[in-house]
Amino acid sequence: MTQSFRDLQVWQKSIQLSVSVYRLSRDFPREELYGLISQIRRSVVSVPSNIAEGQGRLTDGEARQFLGIARGSNFEVQTQLEIARSLKFGDPKLIDDAESLSNEVGKMIYGLLESLKRKQAQKANHRQLIADN
């Protein structure tokens, strides 16, 4: 993995998602400071953090592992946004915007995971061809 994590569109988009969720959660009730506010903020920060960490790893397998964690954190964010919506916390438009960003990030992470999976399969096929000869 040679490209900087800062160059990855999925990382850039997940930073936008993080900023969006922080802005949204500012308007949650103060009694949620150690509840939903804390939880959704930890989850959303985990997404770009794990994308960056995966990019810094030495193997594609390690990168996939951290992308998988980022994907799981993104699902947590989607769940927490749904809880906020159901409790009528925050501006519904900001929730919709964050949810849209989260869906986009999710698709991008999935695409990266699939790309790495194909790359690993190609390497395995190449090794098998060499072993057969």
Side-chain angles (χ1 to χ4, degrees):
M1 311 218 70
T2 58
Q3 182 181 27
S4 167
F5 67 88
R6 294 176 188 280
D7 296 330
L8 295 173
Q9 289 181 0
V10 67
W11 181 83
Q12 294 168 9
K13 189 66 70 172
S14 66
I15 291 292
Q16 291 174 16
L17 171 62
S18 296
V19 170
S20 172
V21 165
Y22 265 75
R23 286 185 179 140
L24 163 69
S25 63
R26 282 192 301 218
D27 294 333
F28 286 8
R30 288 299 101 201
E31 63 266 17
E32 286 301 320
L33 184 60
Y34 300 107
L36 190 57
I37 294 170
S38 176
Q39 187 62 42
I40 197 169
R41 286 179 173 183
R42 277 195 312 269
S43 297
V44 80
V45 166
S46 177
V47 179
S49 298
N50 278 290
I51 291 168
E53 186 163 359
Q55 189 67 10
R57 292 300 173 140
L58 297 175
T59 67
D60 289 343
E62 288 177 304
R64 285 182 67 208
Q65 178 182 353
F66 283 94
L67 285 172
I69 294 168
R71 185 174 185 250
S73 294
N74 191 47
F75 286 157
E76 285 185 61
V77 171
Q78 291 175 5
T79 299
Q80 293 151 2
L81 288 170
E82 191 57 41
I83 291 167
R85 177 183 283 116
S86 296
L87 292 170
K88 300 192 181 342
F89 291 172
D91 181 334
K93 166 110 173 64
L94 294 178
I95 292 174
D96 290 344
D97 292 347
E99 187 175 57
S100 178
L101 279 169
S102 179
N103 288 332
E104 190 174 351
V105 166
K107 289 175 186 175
M108 295 170 90
I109 291 171
Y110 179 80
L112 262 179
L113 284 166
E114 287 298 305
S115 173
L116 288 171
K117 189 165 78 174
R118 283 191 302 274
K119 186 176 173 185
Q120 279 186 316
Q122 288 172 347
K123 283 182 180 179
N125 288 341
H126 181 71
R127 282 192 300 271
Q128 185 62 46
L129 284 173
I130 291 171
D132 288 347
N133 290 330

